[in-house]
Structures are given as C-alpha cells and as structure tokens.
Amino acid sequence: MHSFAYKNGSLYCEDVNMADIAAAVGTPVFVYSKKTIADDLADFRNAMAPLNAHVAYAVKACSNKAILNLMAQQGAGFDIVSGGELWRVINAGGDPTLCTYAGVAKTEPEIRYALEQNIYCFNCESENELREINRIAGEMGVKAPVAVRVNPHVDAHTHKYITTGTNENKFGVDITRIEEVYATIAAEMPNLHIKGLQMHIGSQLTEKQPFVDAVVKVMPIVKKFMELYNIEFWSIGGGIGIVYDGCLESGKPEWWEAHPEQITIQSYAESLIPLLKPLGIKILIEPGRRLVGNAAAMLTTCIYEKKGEAKTFKMIDAGMNDIIRPALYEGYHEIWPVKEHQGDDIVADIVGPICESGDFQAQNRRIADVKPGEVLAEMSAGAYGFSMASTYNSRPLAAEVLVDGDKWSIIRRRQTLEQMVADECLPE
Ligand code: LLP
C-alpha cells in the first residue's frame, strides 16, 4: 500500500500537501514517499522470511542517491547493470560486496572496476563474457565470482519490450545449454569461482504462474549445480508487477475485483516458498518496480486545453522526456488532480510539449475537467520514471523530492539550462 491520498480536498503524500511542493519547487517534479518504500521493502523481507532470502534492489528502476541511500540504510543489496550504477551505489553509501552485476555487454573497464570493488557476483549472460572476465581476473590476480543467467524459455505474459526469458530475447544462456556452459567454466576458466545461478523472465508480471513455471523448470539444474559446484545462491530475478490503475485505493483494494490474478508480495512468496524451502539454498530476489513504483507521483501543471474535432486535449508541462513509459510500452499511469474535483469528468488526451504524436501520458482518459494552471499528479511514477528521463527537446531534467512524514526535502535540484549544455563544446 502506498501513501498518497486526498485529505480536505487536496492530494497528500504522507502528511505533505502536494500543492505545497508544486508551489515551492515548480513542476514537473517527482515526489517519493519514504514510508511506502520502507514498507514495501519490509513486506518483501517478512513475506520471504521462511527462506534464506536477500533483496538486491534493481537500481535501474530508480537510481537517485537518496533512494539508494535509503535502501542501503535498510540493509538491502543491489542489482546493478553498469559501472555507473556500481559507482552510484558506492557514492550513496551502499555496500559493493552486496552487489550483483547483470547485463549483456559489460566492458573491460567496468569488469575491472567491479573486481576492484569486490562485488558479490557477476551475473553473466554469455560464454564470451565469461571468457573475458576470466582473462581480466587472471591479469588482476584474483578469482572472479560468477553466476550465469539461465534463460528458461518461459513466457512472462508481459509487454514484448520487457519480456526477457524466452529464446527470442538477447538475455542469458538457453536452458538447453546451461549445463554445458558450467562444465566449460569448471574445465577451462581457472580464474572464475562458480558462485550461483541467476534467472529473470521479465518485468511487470501480474501473474504468479510464470514465476512458478520458471522455478519448477530450473530447479533440477540448481540441485545438480549444488552437488557439482557447491553453488551458494540462486537468484530468481525481479519482475513482480504493480497495480497502475486504481492505484489510489487503500485499505481493502477496490481494484481487486478487476484484477483477480494480480500478484502481491504475499501471493508471490506463498507460491514460491514451498518450492524453494526444501532446497536450503540462499535465494536472491531483484525487485525494482515493486519497491519504488507506487512510491512516487510526478506533479505536472496543465498549461492549455484544446477542443479538437475528434478529441479534447489537455496540454501539460511534462513530456515523454520526463516519463517515457506510455510512449514506449503503452504504459498506463493514473492521472489525478491535486485539487480534488467533484463529478466533472470528461474524456481527454493528456499530452506533453514534445513535437511527437507519441508524446502523451494518457489517451481517451476519463479525467476531471482540470483547467490551465491546475496541478496534476501522474501516479506510480517511481519506477522507470525519472531513471529513463532525458533532455529531449532541450527540456532540463525534472526535480525530485522525498517526503518523510510531514517533512520533505529536495533530493535532486531541477537541472538548469547551463547544466544541460555544460559538457558541450565547439570543435577546436
Ligand atoms: N533483474 C534483472 C536482471 C532485470 O533485467 C530487471 C529489469 C530487474 C531485475 C528488475 O525488474 P523489476 O522488478 O523492476 O520488474 N523500463 C521498463 C522495465 C524494464 C525492466 C528491465 N529489467 C518499464 O518501464 O516497464
């Protein structure tokens, strides 16, 4: 459950009126609830408590220093995908020895940096990558901890751009070849230490069955590898979906009727624990979206309205450069007026200032008839919101704010125009 709700006609994040933040900081601004993040992390841990399970937060979902610091303070590990993310974790006070490093195209400088920082494990995605890490570790005189990402060929029933666990995807080593690859590591790569096995079948999964299918399918291999290589952990990846529509409901969730299959942390844990517990192996989980997705809203101001022949448009001061999910994945985010409206809903497209028809945050949406100058909150913007933002159309990056009870702090100042062009220069 998250911490956004109307009180006295205005939308609050915890005990802070979002209108006050918009007035003080301007828009667009991402507003995060500390309580929601801490609660979701605690829920994960409690639900998985019967296992020897550890959370490695997927940094890519939201990599703001303050959010990483919050995760570090709560003792979370981190799932990283670049040298940049490793640097961010360390810079935010995170422990590099709790980092697992995934990604299909790790470069030599990144591999060296990760070895110097003594990360927990590389999650490797191909034999050539394993050979490269073996070579570099040999040169550095160290043994590199590795796991291989097995691609179990299970359909995650999610958007095609965020499905990763089928043999159509670039990720991991096919399940039919995984044993051969581990045998090759053991026989030919003396500078690698086989530490575990990893998998991840996709993101925004709303059903538990694909997770169960993948675990059942990979289980015999894990058992074998525990015997053959004495592996220490099995990472079952991330991907647990959140509710994007009706996300403001709290208490007994009203959306439940519309989403009978909707996965929860509890249903995820309850379906996997009986399968995993008998193994007795350390389990890593790599949630990103589930820990931060519902924990933020992006505030944006309505600038103009336009009634066209076919449609009504509300133009806002945030674009696909600020949140790209609707344009890229047909993502759905609830949009709520910060000042509560009563019964004046219309159907409109909520569009941004960018010169592209794909620049919309909502299409044909039933929404309050907000007027220019009013502030809107785009909900569930915490995961893959700011972290995917760009300066396209020369729009400086938005600000970010963290709410804690009745207090709030800026955790990223709005980018200035000078900062936006600071690294550009004319040719000699
Ligand atoms: N582990 C691995 C190896 C991953 O590739 C990912 C996400 C995660 C964990 C975390 O997945 P999560 O728990 O957040 O679903 N930008 C897209 C999502 C891309 C996910 C990429 N990998 C979106 O906005 O929907």
Side-chain angles (χ1 to χ4, degrees), residues 27-42:
T27 56
V29 55
F30 288 78
V31 180
Y32 300 85
S33 156
K34 182 175 176 182
K35 178 176 178 348
T36 308
I37 297 173
D39 285 354
D40 284 350
L41 180 57

Side-chain angles (χ1 to χ4, degrees), residues 58 60-61 79 102 149 162 198 200 202-204 237-240 286-290 325 329 384 388:
K60 62 175 86 69
D79 170 54
R149 175 169 178 172
I162 48 177
Q198 199 267 353
H200 172 78
S203 193
Q204 184 51 18
I240 302 98
E286 304 166 356
R289 189 187 321 258
R290 189 62 191 79
R325 301 198 68 264
Y329 315 108
Y384 309 107
M388 295 184 78

Side-chain angles (χ1 to χ4, degrees), residues 168-427:
E168 299 277 306
N169 305 123
K170 68 181 175 184
F171 299 101
V173 169
D174 205 275
I175 189 160
T176 54
R177 293 204 52 243
I178 193 74
E179 292 181 49
E180 179 192 333
V181 168
Y182 272 69
T184 308
I185 302 173
E188 297 174 18
M189 304 185 204
N191 306 314
L192 302 185
H193 163 215
I194 297 177
K195 200 160 178 178
L197 182 75
Q198 199 267 353
M199 66 187 197
H200 172 78
I201 57 176
S203 193
Q204 184 51 18
L205 272 69
T206 54
E207 303 159 24
K208 59 190 182 200
Q209 199 54 43
F211 289 114
V212 171
D213 293 347
V215 163
V216 168
K217 201 161 172 186
V218 173
M219 175 89 66
I221 296 168
V222 174
K223 283 186 184 153
K224 217 179 236 178
F225 288 179
M226 286 171 79
E227 274 174 32
L228 283 175
Y229 310 113
N230 197 20
I231 60 169
E232 172 180 313
F233 76 90
W234 180 9
S235 169
I236 56 173
I240 302 98
I242 61 170
V243 177
Y244 278 99
D245 54 328
C247 69
L248 272 191
E249 308 303 334
S250 56
K252 177 171 174 352
E254 218 169 78
W255 46 258
W256 198 256
E257 311 298 328
H259 302 271
E261 293 298 318
Q262 175 65 41
I263 199 163
T264 61
I265 291 174
Q266 283 70 28
S267 68
Y268 171 83
E270 278 162 19
S271 59
L272 296 184
I273 287 169
L275 298 169
L276 295 172
K277 190 153 175 62
L279 270 183
I281 193 172
K282 173 170 168 181
I283 299 292
L284 296 189
I285 31 175
E286 304 166 356
R289 189 187 321 258
R290 189 62 191 79
L291 291 182
V292 292
N294 290 140
M298 181 191 66
L299 297 179
T300 171
T301 305
C302 177
I303 305 293
Y304 299 114
E305 57 184 342
K306 176 157 82 175
K307 287 198 169 49
E309 280 291 305
K311 283 191 163 193
T312 296
F313 297 97
K314 302 280 180 185
M315 283 74 145
I316 56 174
D317 68 353
M320 63 194 285
N321 69 300
D322 298 296
I323 296 186
I324 202 173
R325 301 198 68 264
L328 194 55
Y329 315 108
E330 301 163 314
Y332 178 102
H333 291 257
E334 293 269 295
I335 299 180
W336 295 79
V338 167
K339 185 166 84 54
E340 201 171 12
H341 282 233
Q342 299 294 347
D344 62 347
D345 284 3
I346 56 159
V347 174
D349 281 19
I350 315 297
V351 300
I354 303 251
C355 298
E356 299 221 18
S357 295
D359 179 31
F360 54 84
Q361 295 301 327
Q363 288 182 306
N364 303 318
R365 183 70 61 84
R366 178 161 291 283
I367 185 173
D369 191 11
V370 290
K371 295 299 169 196
E374 274 190 62
V375 179
L376 295 167
E378 181 160 343
M379 306 305 294
S380 304
Y384 309 107
F386 188 93
S387 67
M388 295 184 78
S390 74
T391 59
Y392 185 40
N393 276 209
S394 289
R395 295 170 40 77
L397 295 172
E400 294 180 284
V401 157
L402 182 65
V403 170
D404 182 9
D406 60 0
K407 298 191 176 47
W408 60 272
S409 321
I410 291 182
I411 56 171
R412 174 190 295 270
R413 288 183 283 276
R414 187 176 307 287
Q415 193 178 41
T416 64
L417 293 169
E418 288 74 19
Q419 287 165 345
M420 186 176 69
V421 300
D423 296 323
E424 298 175 26
C425 41
L426 297 175

